[in-house]
Amino acid sequence: MNFRQVTSLSNETVKHARALHMRKTREQSGQFLAEGLKIITEAVDQGVAPDVLMFGKAAASHPLLIRAAEATTAAGGEVIEVTPEILEKIARRDNAQPALAIFKQRFVPLDSLRPISNVCWVAMDRVRDPGNLGTVVRTVDAAGGGGVILVGDCCDPYSVEGVRATMGSIFAVPLARATVEEFLAWRGQWPGSVVGTLLTATVNHHNADYQTPTLILMGNEAQGLPPDLAAACDVNVKIPMRGRADSLNLSVATGIMIYAVTDRLLG
């Protein structure tokens, strides 16, 4: 396995990896940072090789590391052995993962999505928490959903926190972005049902008439769906609150909706 060793924090690749914690750097470079052999292996399993693979000496003989290094080299990427201090500085935490990697971001054009290829899709309006967004991406993957559409000014799914929350599903689930206007124009051609969630809705989420394919439209954590997006739905539903809490975490609510739809349409 051919690789070079880097021991200096002033190395340009190391500085770039550290800078990928900033959204501006991610947007300018079109790259992002992923931590840990599990996530890196998920990428390799999906045929996605790192641009740069960095690892500590302790992981050098790990079979998953060797496999990832071979995939990186075969794709023309770079494999670098770094010190534990560098791993911790890049990860911004002690006891960092033994391997980190830089990947290219992958957004698909909204018009390239094929709704009839899957029974369930998710659109997120102005989601703010990368942990919520990452968890939704992971849940869509787990349920076999089609993809996630980011509507309006959303947080970055390729932030370190967001990628971590996906547990590798970021490489398996198509992501598209759209302004509200672009989304509403595209929604007009949707062949199945579009279902929103509202606390004021009267239809129970179990009782809605889900049609194949169903697009689940989820609102922002603090404000929910705005009127224009709620009006674009074929039906708005509510998840009953039977305890003292009057709302659910966004990723939990989205997960409930995903399985309500898939269980109904797939049986």
Side-chain angles (χ1 to χ4, degrees):
M1 183 170 63
N2 296 320
F3 57 85
R4 66 187 175 101
Q5 295 178 318
V6 171
T7 59
S8 172
L9 289 169
S10 63
N11 174 270
E12 289 301 318
T13 302
V14 172
K15 289 196 294 185
H16 177 61
R18 294 179 68 183
L20 286 172
H21 281 271
M22 297 184 293
R23 186 167 189 169
K24 180 180 179 180
T25 302
R26 293 193 300 273
E27 290 176 345
Q28 289 177 342
S29 66
Q31 295 176 313
F32 69 99
L33 187 67
E35 305 171 308
L37 280 174
K38 182 185 186 307
I39 290 181
I40 295 169
T41 300
E42 288 290 336
V44 173
D45 286 345
Q46 293 293 323
V48 181
D51 290 341
V52 180
L53 174 65
M54 292 169 283
F55 68 95
K57 187 174 182 179
S61 61
H62 196 292
L64 294 181
L65 189 282
I66 293 172
R67 182 169 169 236
E70 290 173 345
T72 304
T73 301
E78 186 174 20
V79 180
I80 305 172
E81 181 183 332
V82 297
T83 64
E85 179 188 16
I86 289 176
L87 288 174
E88 291 179 353
K89 289 294 185 180
I90 293 174
R92 295 186 177 180
R93 55 179 175 172
D94 296 334
N95 301 314
Q97 294 278 357
L100 305 167
I102 297 173
F103 290 93
K104 291 183 177 67
Q105 297 182 25
R106 298 184 305 158
F107 287 103
V108 300
L110 188 63
D111 288 340
S112 74
L113 299 179
R114 296 292 176 260
I116 60 172
S117 68
N118 201 284
V119 301
C120 181
W121 301 75
V122 174
M124 310 289 290
D125 170 52
R126 296 166 299 140
V127 58
R128 290 286 183 261
D129 187 318
N132 279 339
L133 179 51
T135 301
V136 168
V137 171
R138 183 181 179 187
T139 306
V140 168
D141 186 18
V148 175
I149 302 159
L150 306 179
V151 182
D153 184 19
C154 291
C155 63
D156 186 1
Y158 289 110
S159 69
V160 172
E161 298 80 7
V163 172
R164 187 184 298 145
T166 72
M167 294 295 290
S169 294
I170 193 78
F171 299 104
V173 176
L175 299 176
R177 296 181 292 187
T179 65
V180 172
E181 293 75 20
E182 290 169 342
F183 173 78
L184 289 174
W186 177 80
R187 177 267 177 270
Q189 304 171 24
W190 187 262
S193 55
V194 179
V195 180
T197 56
L198 286 178
L199 290 174
T200 57
T202 58
V203 179
N204 186 293
H205 74 296
H206 279 307
N207 300 330
D209 181 23
Y210 300 120
Q211 299 293 318
T212 302
T214 288
L215 175 62
I216 301 166
L217 180 53
M218 302 297 295
N220 162 274
E221 289 96 335
Q223 301 169 335
L225 280 180
D228 55 347
L229 291 180
C233 295
D234 296 306
V235 62
N236 288 292
V237 302
K238 66 177 181 179
I239 301 171
M241 302 291 113
R242 299 189 176 97
R244 288 181 56 83
D246 61 2
S247 64
L248 292 170
N249 168 273
L250 176 60
S251 61
V252 172
T254 307
I256 290 172
M257 288 298 301
I258 290 169
Y259 279 94
V261 169
T262 54
D263 284 354
R264 174 76 64 82
L265 297 179
L266 295 175

